[in-house]
Structures are given as C-alpha cells and as structure tokens.
C-alpha cells in the first residue's frame, strides 16, 4: 500500500474519530450507546528555548525549536473508542491528531485491537498495540497521565520501538492490597526510523502495585533489518535486547519516580536512560523537580557497512564512535484546576554532549527551555 | 424559629443520605463481599467476582458519596484517582464503573443484568437488590 494512501486513511479515520467524539458529546451526551465508551485527551503546549534544540515530543518524532520563538509544535488531541462487542470481546481504537516537526497537521492510529476476556483475569489482545516497555511508552501521547511537560524517555522511545502489530496476553492477580500484572507480547515491531525494520519481537513485563507504590519491569528482544539511506541492506538479522525497571513511591504527599532502561544492539547504538523525579502535592498544586540522563553509545567495532558500488558516492562517512549524552534537569508546577484539566509550567536545562563524530570533534551545548501546557482528559 | 427550621432541614438532609452499602442483583449467587473484593472490582483490578462470575460495576455519576467511596477503597482523592484511571483507560487496561445520571437510570440497568454491582445510599436500596457489604 503506498505510504501516501495509508496516511490518507489514517488521517480520515482520525478526523472521523474526533468528529464523532465531538458529535457524541454535544448531541447525545449520556444517551450514547450503552456499550460504547468514548474518551479523549489533549495537550496544548507552548514552548520556548534560548538555543536551537531538539526535544523529546509527545508524538513519535523529536521537535526542533528555534531560539527565542514560542511555538506549539507539541500540541496534540486524541480520541479513543472502546466498544463492548460481546460479554467477553471488546474492540478498541485510539488515534491522535498533532502538529509534526514541519508544522503540518499529522495523524496516527496508535491502538487498534480486539480484546478477549477469558475469565480468571486473563485477557488477550490482538492488533496494533503500543510496546509496554516503559510506563511512558504506552502513554506517550497522553500528557495528562504524566507529571512532566514531556516524556523523560529518549526521543525515540524504547530504543526507537514504539508500537507493534501482534498479540499479547495479560494475567493479573490480587491479594489484599497487592496487585500483580504479567504481560507477554509477541509481534512485529515498528521502529521510528524508516531505515530500521523490526522483524520479530518478544516482550515480557511484570508490574506490582499497592496503594502507595508501583514497580514495573520489562525485558524485550527484537530482530531487525537495517539499511543505509541509499537502500543498501546492512543486515537482515540483527538483534536488540532491552531491559527496564521503573517505580513510583508515595509517602504522605511526596511522590517519587525513578526509572532505568538499557539496550544492547548488534548494529544500532546502545541506549541507556535513567531518571529520578519528586513531586510534593499541596492540594491542587504539585511542584516537582526531575533529572533525566540519556546516553547513546556508538561502537565502531560494530561491522562497517559494505562499500558502495563503484561509481556511486565516493565519500564514506566515518562510522560514529563514542557517546552522545543528554542531561535534563528541571523544575515545574502542575496545577489540577478541575478533576480533568490541568496546567503545567516547566523550566528545564538541557545539556548535550556528543563525541561520536571524529571530524567534528566534541560538540557541547546547553539550552534553557520554558514550557507552559494546558492538558486534559474528557 | 427560622433557624430551627433550617437546622431541622439540614439534619433531615444529612440523615436522608443514609449509609453507603454495596449491592448486587437479588438473584445473584454472591451473598457477601469483603472490602478488598469491592476495591478490586471498582478499581478495575478484576472483571470477576470471587466465584468467577462476570462483575459489571455501576455508579451514580455525580453522587455525593462517590468521592468518599473511592477514598475508602483506594485511599486516593478524586484527583489522584483520575490520574490512576487515565493510565488504565488510555492503555486499554481498565475502565471505571459505568456512570448513570439518576438513580432511576442506574436501577433500570441494575435489574437487567445479574452481574451488576453498585454502591449507593441504603435509602436507595430496592427489593431487587441484595446488600453484600455495609461500610462501617
């Protein structure tokens, strides 16, 4: 299917979802189909930076910001339809409309699956799903669900793997105040870069929750093919292995989040990500601080790409070797001014250091970023 | 006299809210639930009663006892709970109890399915319902 056609289909479905949603809320309100649940989310994001910078975005891509220019590139609206088809079978579709990095309106279908409840708290889901590698990878587009202005995970998510087409089985247990969920996912992952084609993925995730604490961990393996920008296939059968652990602990009004993930890949760079964040809830106002570190390690001992055919590009770009680091430290305030609407103001310092390009030498820069967001769910 | 009347009215209103109870359909095989069973069902940790039957939680949308009920079963405020539901809803891993605008709407749905479960004031309990838990 041509890319432009699939994009048209995606846009059409998304505009229809939003339109039906608005229609349902404005006309039928409580009288909408008994078995249909409609939920929506939005983020209006105004961000300004003092230097040119690429930042993690709410949708798949990074967002490039020009110095001292307020922009709304990270603004997004999404809708979800959840229809109970039978007593055990549910259909689920969720999409979003957002600005892309070129300031065009873009769309995505993020979830589209059928879910079957087998009883005994066992559920299977088939279709297009988000990869449950980190808490934030499944909820990336729903800004209301996180404390911070943007996801703290790397710009490309779980080493670039954001979603997959496949199946998963979820099993949960509860005992007193303790609740466990186990999730096994298999399928074909999609990578954020066109040069990387995910092939087969297996992921196992385990999560524990009680009233004051949650912890989740995931382990993932995927095979992938990788080619150059000239469509030269570098490898058809490379491997990436990833592991993550995250936790949230609430003591009285203090909420602390920590997270760590790392990957080992045959050809693509190895990612390591960690973060720590604390928020103090003062009724509807929650001031917070955070620190996040993202590292990409490029290893020149990895196999070189084959030489281009004679007569084509005579210049071979040296393979990156070394580390690319990004440290984010920030403070912010989240104000829940109604039960489903909030305002966030965040100031952060982003430090970038890259020594992976021999010709360019060490690249270092530092930017200050101010963001103001209105986010909601309804 | 005017103040006495207002005071009496307030007293009547407070009393008329009654105590919060959890009810199931009268012909349900469930006779008793623990507060933890109720928490698991209303926090979408399970879709089943302890005996394995499907549970369909219902509630009044803007009930005065709603915040109090969830505070009791989860220890969370309404805002904290909203964040909890957001993570479940937008990952498809759970949804809150279906809300109905009036007691009549809730009662008509309640009588149509054997798996329904709801929390409400004991003043609203009908002979089509069975009380399976009383909050202290």
């Amino acid at each position: 299917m041509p890319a432009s056609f699939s994009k048209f289909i995606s846009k059409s479905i998304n505009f229809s979802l939003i339109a039906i949603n608005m229609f349902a809320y404005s006309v039928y309100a409580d009288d909408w189909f008994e078995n249909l649940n409609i939920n929506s989310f939005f983020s209006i994001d105004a961000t300004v930076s003092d230097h040119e910078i690429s930042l993690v975005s709410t949708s798949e891509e990074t967002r490039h910001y020009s110095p001292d220019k307020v922009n709304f590139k990270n603004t997004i609206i999404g809708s979800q339809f959840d229809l109970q088809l039978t007593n055990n079978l549910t259909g689920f579709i969720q999409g979003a409309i957002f600005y892309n990095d070129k300031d065009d309106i873009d769309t995505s279908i993020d979830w589209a699956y059928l879910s079957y409840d087998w009883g005994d708290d066992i559920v299977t889901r088939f279709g297009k799903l988000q990869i449950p590698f980190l808490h934030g990878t499944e909820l990336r587009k729903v800004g209301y669900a996180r404390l911070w202005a943007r996801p703290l995970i790397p710009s490309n998510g779980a080493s670039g793997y954001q979603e997959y087409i496949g199946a998963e089985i979820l099993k949960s247990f509860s005992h007193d105040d303790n609740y466990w969920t186990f999730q096994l996912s298999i399928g074909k992952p999609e990578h954020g870069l066109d040069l990387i084609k995910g092939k087969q993925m297996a992921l196992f995730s385990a999560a524990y929750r009680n009233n004051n604490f949650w912890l989740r961990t995931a382990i993932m393996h995927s095979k992938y093919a990788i080619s150059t920008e000239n469509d030269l296939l570098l490898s058809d059968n490379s491997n990436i292995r990833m592991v993550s652990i995250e936790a949230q602990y609430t003591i009285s009004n203090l909420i602390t989040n920590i997270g760590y993930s790392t990957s080992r890949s045959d050809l693509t760079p190895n990612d390591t990500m960690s973060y720590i964040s604390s928020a103090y809830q003062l009724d509807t106002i929650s001031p917070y601080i955070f620190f996040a570190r993202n590292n990409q390690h490029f290893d020149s001992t990895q196999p070189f790409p084959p030489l281009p055919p004679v007569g084509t590009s005579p210049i071979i770009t040296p393979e990156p070797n070394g580390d690319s680091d990004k440290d984010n430290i920030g403070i912010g305030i989240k104000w829940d001014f109604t039960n489903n609407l909030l305002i966030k103001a965040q100031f952060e310092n982003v430090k970038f250091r890259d020594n992976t390009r021999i010709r360019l030498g060490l690249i270092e820069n530092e930017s200050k970023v101010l963001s103001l967001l209105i986010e909601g769910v309804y | 006299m005017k103040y006495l009347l207002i005071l009496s009215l307030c007293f009547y209103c407070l009393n008329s809210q009654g105590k919060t109870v959890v009810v199931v359909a009268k012909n349900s095989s469930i006779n008793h639930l623990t507060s933890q069973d109720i928490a698991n069902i209303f926090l979408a940790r399970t879709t089943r009663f302890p005996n394995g039957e499907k549970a369909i939680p219902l509630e009044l949308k803007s009930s005065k006892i709603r915040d109090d009920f969830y505070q009791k079963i989860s220890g969370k405020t309404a805002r904290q709970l909203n964040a909890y539901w957001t993570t479940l809803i937008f990952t498809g891993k759970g949804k809150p109890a279906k809300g109905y605008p009036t007691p009549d709407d809730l009662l008509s749905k309640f009588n149509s399915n054997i798996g329904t479960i709801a929390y409400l004031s004991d003043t609203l309990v009908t002979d089509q319902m069975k009380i399976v838990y009383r909050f202290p």
Side-chain angles (χ1 to χ4, degrees):
Chain A
M1 190 189 301
S4 57
F5 182 70
S6 60
K7 203 163 189 172
F8 169 76
I9 296 290
S10 167
K11 277 191 179 185
S12 305
I13 293 173
N14 268 298
F15 280 114
S16 305
L17 287 177
I18 301 288
I20 292 169
N21 192 350
M22 299 296 180
F23 180 72
Y25 269 89
S26 60
V27 179
Y28 286 99
D30 301 324
D31 298 329
W32 194 249
F33 294 125
E34 183 68 29
N35 294 326
L36 182 66
N37 290 293
I38 307 169
N39 294 288
S40 293
F41 59 89
F42 73 89
S43 296
I44 301 167
D45 177 336
T47 291
V48 62
S49 164
D50 66 343
H51 287 87
E52 189 151 339
I53 189 172
S54 286
L55 291 173
V56 175
S57 96
T58 299
S59 42
E60 290 94 342
E61 307 165 59
T62 51
R63 295 285 179 268
H64 301 281
Y65 294 91
S66 303
D68 301 324
K69 191 179 165 192
V70 178
N71 75 61
F72 295 86
K73 283 182 177 180
N74 212 21
T75 294
I76 188 167
I77 179 168
S79 271
Q80 175 207 90
F81 285 63
D82 167 349
L83 180 65
Q84 184 96 32
L85 298 165
T86 69
N87 210 19
N88 296 322
L89 187 68
T90 305
F92 187 103
I93 185 162
Q94 185 174 313
I97 300 174
F98 51 89
Y99 276 119
N100 64 22
D101 205 30
K102 294 167 189 158
D103 278 337
D104 293 331
I105 289 179
D106 209 341
T107 63
S108 64
I109 298 291
D110 305 311
W111 302 83
Y113 66 80
L114 289 172
S115 166
Y116 191 84
D117 181 350
W118 297 91
D120 203 22
D121 295 322
I122 298 174
V123 173
T124 47
R125 310 201 286 188
F126 309 87
K128 184 171 185 179
L129 301 142
Q130 298 294 298
I131 293 177
F133 182 63
L134 291 156
H135 191 62
T137 48
E138 283 186 293
L139 287 161
R140 183 181 193 82
K141 291 186 177 164
V142 189
Y144 185 92
R146 64 176 161 262
L147 176 67
W148 319 283
R150 283 173 290 281
L152 296 184
I153 54 176
S155 57
N156 49 8
S159 286
Y161 296 93
Q162 200 70 45
E163 55 197 28
Y164 74 103
I165 293 171
E168 61 189 27
I169 181 163
L170 295 103
K171 166 69 184 163
S172 53
F173 301 91
S174 57
H175 179 67
D176 294 337
D177 184 28
N178 305 297
Y179 177 62
W180 293 267
T181 311
F182 300 96
Q183 187 167 352
L184 178 66
S185 311
I186 50 168
K188 183 175 178 293
E190 285 181 30
H191 196 279
L193 296 175
D194 291 338
L195 306 178
I196 299 170
K197 305 283 181 212
K199 296 180 82 178
Q200 301 130 30
M201 177 205 84
L203 181 146
F204 178 73
S205 160
Y208 167 80
R209 178 187 284 274
N210 66 26
N211 278 344
N212 302 317
F213 175 74
W214 62 252
L215 176 118
R216 52 168 288 148
T217 183
I219 184 163
M220 174 177 157
H221 172 253
S222 179
K223 288 192 172 292
Y224 62 89
I226 181 166
S227 27
T228 66
E229 287 176 3
N230 302 326
D231 280 339
L232 200 65
L233 185 68
L234 298 178
S235 166
D236 192 33
N237 198 29
S238 292
N239 293 280
I240 182 167
R241 293 170 182 83
M242 295 154 63
V243 64
S244 72
I245 183 162
E246 289 180 292
Q248 177 179 291
Y249 192 42
T250 307
I251 310 170
S252 184
N253 293 341
L254 185 70
I255 301 169
T256 302
N257 290 73
I258 53 170
Y260 175 83
S261 81
T262 189
S263 70
R264 292 291 174 269
S265 175
D266 290 347
L267 288 177
T268 53
N270 296 327
D271 290 331
T272 302
M273 179 281 297
S274 55
Y275 69 81
I276 181 162
S277 154
S278 258
Y280 194 84
Q281 281 192 314
L282 297 160
D283 193 21
T284 59
I285 305 279
S286 303
Y288 62 86
I289 54 170
F290 67 86
F291 174 72
R293 169 166 285 176
N294 296 307
N295 166 270
Q296 281 196 308
H297 179 72
F298 294 78
D299 189 354
S300 68
T301 58
Q302 290 167 345
F304 274 91
L307 290 172
V310 178
T312 58
S313 170
I315 300 166
I316 301 170
T317 308
E319 188 174 346
N321 181 30
D323 288 281
S324 175
D325 295 296
K326 194 183 256 189
D327 288 348
N328 299 47
I329 185 162
I331 56 168
I333 287 182
K334 179 167 80 84
W335 175 32
D336 295 84
F337 64 90
T338 72
N339 269 354
N340 50 4
L341 213 56
L342 57 81
I343 291 177
K344 287 176 195 165
Q346 180 174 301
F347 176 77
E348 82 189 283
N349 187 73
V350 185
K351 208 174 195 176
F352 179 71
R353 187 176 185 279
D354 185 304
N355 67 355
T356 62
R357 304 279 171 176
I358 297 161
R359 284 182 185 169
L360 300 176
L362 179 67
I363 301 167
E364 277 185 298
N365 57 52
E366 198 167 338
S367 301
K368 288 170 179 54
V369 181
L370 183 65
S371 298
L372 186 67
L373 296 94
I374 302 173
E375 299 187 306
V377 288
Y378 57 96
Chain B
M1 185 63 191
K2 191 169 75 178
Y3 294 111
L4 193 64
L5 191 67
I6 292 169
L7 202 64
S8 307
L9 201 62
C10 289
F11 184 72
Y12 172 78
C13 290
L14 283 173
N15 270 333
S16 66
Q17 285 179 24
K19 292 224 169 193
T20 305
V21 293
V22 177
V23 292
V24 295
K26 193 178 182 180
N27 49 357
S28 164
S29 60
I30 304 295
N31 293 313
H32 177 74
L33 291 174
T34 66
S35 61
Q36 199 56 53
D37 296 332
I38 293 160
N40 289 341
I41 291 168
F42 279 91
L43 295 174
R45 291 171 170 175
T46 182
T47 55
R48 306 277 158 173
F49 287 112
N51 66 0
E53 286 174 12
K54 181 97 173 168
I56 304 166
L58 313 176
E59 66 185 8
L60 283 171
K61 255 183 189 169
S62 48
S63 155
K64 286 178 185 169
I65 61 174
R66 188 175 184 274
D67 290 353
D68 187 47
F69 171 77
Y70 281 106
Q71 178 78 46
K72 277 176 181 158
I73 64 165
S74 70
K76 293 183 195 302
T77 63
R79 284 191 171 87
Q80 289 171 329
L81 213 73
N82 218 32
Y84 170 79
W85 286 123
T86 303
T87 61
L88 290 189
I89 288 169
F90 291 105
T91 55
K93 290 180 180 166
K95 50 194 169 197
K98 190 93 180 170
Y100 291 88
T102 68
D104 285 346
D105 292 332
L106 186 137
L107 295 181
S108 65
K109 174 66 183 173
F110 201 88
N111 297 334
S112 68
N113 197 312
I114 196 173
T116 48
I117 175 169
Y119 62 90
L120 34 77
S121 162
D122 59 3
T123 57
L124 294 173
V125 176
T126 69
D127 55 4
Q128 296 299 308
M129 298 170 174
K130 190 195 306 183
I131 296 175
V132 289
Y133 186 80
R134 284 179 190 274
F135 281 95

